[in-house]
Amino acid sequence: MAKITHVSPLAPAGFPDLPVIAGAEFASVAAGIKYQDRKDVTLVRLAPGTTIAGAFTKSSTRSAPVLDCQEKIGGDSTEGAAIIVNAGNANAFTGRNGADATHAVTSGVANCLGVPVGRVFSSSTGVIGEPLPHGRITAKLEELKNNLSETAIQDAAEGIRTTDTFPKGSCQSVLIEGKTVNISGIAKGSGMIAPDMATMLVYIFTDAKVEQTLLQSILSELTDLTFNNITVDSDTSTSDTLLLAATGSSGVDITSPAGAFRDALFEVMLDLAHQVVRDGEGATKFLEVEVSGAESVVDARTHALSIANSPLVKTAIAGEDPNWGRVVMAIGKSGAKADRDLLAIWFGDILVAEQGWVSPSYSENDGAEYMHNQDLKIRVDLGLGSHSATVWTCDLTHGYISINADYRS
Amino acid sequence: MAKITHVSPLAPAGFPDLPVIAGAEFASVAAGIKYQDRKDVTLVRLAPGTTIAGAFTKSSTRSAPVLDCQEKIGGDSTEGAAIIVNAGNANAFTGRNGADATHAVTSGVANCLGVPVGRVFSSSTGVIGEPLPHGRITAKLEELKNNLSETAIQDAAEGIRTTDTFPKGSCQSVLIEGKTVNISGIAKGSGMIAPDMATMLVYIFTDAKVEQTLLQSILSELTDLTFNNITVDSDTSTSDTLLLAATGSSGVDITSPAGAFRDALFEVMLDLAHQVVRDGEGATKFLEVEVSGAESVVDARTHALSIANSPLVKTAIAGEDPNWGRVVMAIGKSGAKADRDLLAIWFGDILVAEQGWVSPSYSENDGAEYMHNQDLKIRVDLGLGSHSATVWTCDLTHGYISINADYRS
């Protein structure tokens, strides 16, 4: 397994001070799932009435816990609920054993906390193809229950890490109808996860009161604008899970899909998504790619992801090379509509190419100077329509190869 | 620009002794397009009656020469024809100037050789976004014409290289109706091409007599089984071009899309396609990926390319890690149909996983031992249907990053 020897150069200065969400309690313990002497199992207890929405990997080989969560989303929220997460073993591609292990864990939590098993959501992240030692998790449930605390969310952010180089948290507080509504979220992912793929797990809590179908609708809209628009290496985990729990303890009813709550949630989700990219394996640069002037949002996003996933673009970013020819190549191969002679390309505010050729105002020195920045932006206008999309990625470096190739299992 | 310091470890022992194709003459000169003191412009003269078929990049930002070739394919073959290729400048993303430069070159060749301009096909490969110095090409046409020789095909294979680490050639000779039919092909591509993307150019010549629409039909079928199933880094050039010329000089009429001629052509195309992969940037391993048991060929190919293009699979190959979990991941993300619990995965002849879990017969030591081979095979059976597909790729190594990131333009 790859050793984590340093924190990503793109990491934020520190973990934020997340506001308490009344009705959400956290505890983490070291259960020895795979790692020794570190917290690797995290329990969250949610008060009766908490509504829960979710978004999950679209992988056709998704893990047993993901399938179990998907079945449970949308259930009756009058009783309490729980989330249980283990790091070190993904319980993915474990045959029929996988569902049995998930059931053992979730029913154990249900019994321990006195909540329905249909309201216990689980996630597992780590190696795949190995049986989950579920007994090590259930053996710790009493201890976890006794440690539950509304102020322990940072411990939870630490406990869900596998080989992330930093814990990820984000929050927003907004005044709605004279009352404060809080949103606190944590995430893991895209760190140096070995020997398997980087899994993204995200848990967001709010004291707003939101009916489940509205909560799901807002979450789905925002997932498409945030977590579904980030990419590190184009590979998709079998275990990606995002859960959003609304305890309602603020007493503020949210009844509209638009407005201050949605906007604050968007900020939390975007910040966490960016932090995942900033912990991308081997990342030394953060790249925003915006494609405008498309005939549809789907076309814009297809082009943006083609640029963001192109190994040749990503290595050019790593090499601080303003290689707009590779951007043209990535647009050409995407399959979405483009007209070569209408393209315009900017690196930051620098117009690089227009009308199918290098811009007369462009100087290679300006481009090379811009590429020295740590945070970069490539913008493309297709000149075809009015739709746009933005995605975020990191560069492709020797660090990525070292993390993913330079070991033997 | 990246320096070529060594030949790919996957290169064949040497350049083959290609049979002469009567009616096809070759010449190469140093025209100083970009490189100094090396042959970079190649001319091929084809006898009257030669039929020509083609396959081209599907990029929506394809280059002026590609667009020009596509317009000309299928034209009247009663008069002579020509192919002109320059290395060092791709004449891609050069605005309106691009078509003008292509016309200057092709009309120059037409005048020099006395063939219709509609029968002069051109290719350009190298840097993109810079105007093609077409005057340097046309200034050399008389010299090229005077040097034309039926035995100079190896010079042509050298002349079309950019930063390929070895020249690529392949041939087959078959007896049809008691007469010998010869096929000789050359290719370039996937070498260390800087500062832009690897372009694949392929030219194949045969003395068979084949009507143009049949020739095109055979070529299209075989392209889908060979060049369209190779990938180095999932990036697609704006300039990929494959031309197949049938001079008819053997006197053997080919009238069927199946049979010995088609099979021999397949062997030449597959060999050249494999050589392109074997010269993949930074490649140290050659990987065949076969997916069977699919409901359709499209599904099988989608899964196979998802595996072959996955950075996590490709780095595992580089690291000699039998990481079948990454294969499961790549199948899951492909978007094509798969059932996790029906998958079976082999590394070489070793059954690694079956029924959604690691095979009871699998030993990690056997897997690790197998991965030391230079040529590797991953086979997946989906257990859903009877269709299959095979693709070829190479590993993703520090060499790829060095070639594509470790320089400034």
Side-chain angles (χ1 to χ4, degrees), chain B residues 25-73:
Chain B
E25 300 163 282
F26 306 85
S28 298
V29 295
I33 300 299
K34 175 187 167 81
Y35 310 107
Q36 297 304 317
D37 305 322
R38 57 150 287 196
K39 291 178 177 181
D40 56 4
V41 176
T42 297
L43 178 67
V44 186
R45 179 164 64 185
L46 297 159
T50 298
T51 53
I52 298 176
F56 304 93
T57 180
K58 295 187 178 76
S59 170
S60 64
T61 56
R62 50 195 179 275
S63 66
V66 169
L67 292 167
D68 186 61
C69 281
Q70 288 183 298
E71 274 179 20
K72 292 173 175 173
I73 288 288

Side-chain angles (χ1 to χ4, degrees), chain A residues 182-207:
Chain A
N182 296 299
I183 304 171
S184 292
I186 58 175
K188 75 153 290 268
S190 289
M192 305 175 185
I193 295 172
D196 293 303
M197 73 290 297
T199 287
M200 190 170 71
L201 299 180
V202 186
Y203 306 98
I204 303 175
F205 307 92
T206 177
D207 48 19

Side-chain angles (χ1 to χ4, degrees), chain B residues 160-175:
Chain B
I160 64 174
R161 289 164 71 182
T162 49
T163 50
D164 299 52
T165 77
F166 60 90
K168 298 163 187 72
S170 185
C171 58
Q172 290 281 321
S173 298
V174 280
L175 268 182

Side-chain angles (χ1 to χ4, degrees), chain A residues 196-228:
Chain A
D196 293 303
M197 73 290 297
T199 287
M200 190 170 71
L201 299 180
V202 186
Y203 306 98
I204 303 175
F205 307 92
T206 177
D207 48 19
K209 189 169 167 61
V210 197
E211 189 265 320
Q212 199 276 336
T213 54
L214 178 60
L215 194 69
Q216 184 66 51
S217 161
I218 295 172
L219 181 69
S220 298
E221 183 226 339
L222 296 180
T223 301
D224 268 346
L225 296 175
T226 56
F227 292 105
N228 282 350

Side-chain angles (χ1 to χ4, degrees), chain A residues 3-66:
Chain A
K3 271 263 173 74
I4 303 166
T5 52
H6 61 86
V7 172
S8 167
L10 307 178
F15 194 84
D17 195 12
L18 301 182
V20 163
I21 306 298
E25 300 164 285
F26 306 85
S28 299
V29 296
I33 300 299
K34 175 187 166 81
Y35 308 107
Q36 298 303 317
D37 305 321
R38 57 150 288 194
K39 292 179 177 179
D40 56 3
V41 176
T42 297
L43 179 67
V44 186
R45 179 164 64 185
L46 297 159
T50 298
T51 52
I52 297 175
F56 304 93
T57 180
K58 295 187 178 76
S59 171
S60 65
T61 56
R62 50 196 180 273
S63 67
V66 169

Side-chain angles (χ1 to χ4, degrees), chain A residues 26-44 83-88 109 134-149 152-161:
Chain A
F26 306 85
S28 299
V29 296
I33 300 299
K34 175 187 166 81
Y35 308 107
Q36 298 303 317
D37 305 321
R38 57 150 288 194
K39 292 179 177 179
D40 56 3
V41 176
T42 297
L43 179 67
V44 186
I83 299 169
I84 179 109
V85 185
N86 75 271
V109 171
H134 52 83
R136 294 185 207 161
I137 299 173
T138 49
K140 294 287 184 179
L141 291 177
E142 279 300 320
E143 182 182 340
L144 282 162
K145 178 185 172 184
N146 293 335
N147 289 342
L148 284 166
S149 159
I153 191 169
Q154 183 168 351
D155 285 353
E158 298 276 359
I160 64 174
R161 289 165 70 181

